[in-house]
Amino acid sequence: MAATVSMRKILTASAAMVCAVAIASLCGASSSPESFIKNTIASHQIVIFSKSYCPYCRRAKAVFKELHKVPHVVELDQRDDGSSLQNALSVLFGRRTVPQVFIDGKHIGGSDDTLEAYESGELRKLLGIKEDHKADL
């Protein structure tokens, strides 16, 4: 009987630990900055790591607005772990500056790279947007 009670306590404690780990994982508490970045990029078609006050970030976001696409934006300056995420971007992609833009998991680059891809039509191609054939005015 005592062994059964001890076993129940162990199982209950184990179940509580598993639940706590699962909840922490779902909330991102135990996730490394690198894991967060990789999971975010894998979970959204368009991701921009940005800072809300940055004019280059606003320019990159405006490109997607022009294309009628809504990116998933991670505003690093509005997160407690923003500095860690920015450092992780440097480790993973060799760039610490913002914005850093990703489409379908592919690293596009920063503001200039995004604008260049937009102007060349490459961004439309990556997003599967057909070219508008507008008559010259």
Side-chain angles (χ1 to χ4, degrees):
M1 179 80 167
T4 305
V5 171
S6 293
M7 187 57 87
R8 281 188 190 153
K9 286 182 180 178
I10 291 171
L11 289 174
T12 301
S14 295
M17 180 66 78
V18 168
C19 288
V21 169
I23 290 169
S25 177
L26 288 172
C27 295
S30 66
S31 178
S32 70
E34 290 86 357
S35 294
F36 174 82
I37 290 168
K38 290 176 183 177
N39 290 335
T40 300
I41 293 167
S43 300
H44 304 279
Q45 182 187 25
I46 306 166
V47 177
I48 303 175
F49 291 94
S50 171
K51 290 189 178 178
S52 60
Y53 58 82
C54 170
Y56 301 103
C57 297
R58 283 195 294 270
R59 185 169 76 168
K61 290 182 263 191
V63 166
F64 292 100
K65 187 173 184 174
E66 180 71 24
L67 294 171
H68 305 289
K69 293 289 186 176
V70 179
H72 177 80
V73 179
V74 179
E75 296 291 6
L76 299 176
D77 62 309
Q78 296 176 356
R79 297 179 54 99
D80 291 337
D81 61 350
S83 182
S84 296
L85 291 174
Q86 194 165 5
N87 290 335
L89 284 168
S90 176
V91 169
L92 293 169
F93 302 100
R95 294 186 181 184
R96 192 177 188 287
T97 58
V98 291
Q100 289 304 316
V101 178
F102 299 83
I103 297 176
D104 290 328
K106 179 182 179 190
H107 183 227
I108 303 304
S111 177
D112 290 342
D113 302 308
T114 302
L115 191 58
E116 183 180 310
Y118 171 71
E119 290 172 347
S120 73
E122 182 65 20
L123 210 52
R124 286 181 179 276
K125 187 187 305 182
L126 288 170
L127 293 168
I129 300 171
K130 293 185 179 183
E131 196 68 37
D132 288 339
H133 298 288
K134 297 178 183 174
D136 291 335
L137 299 177

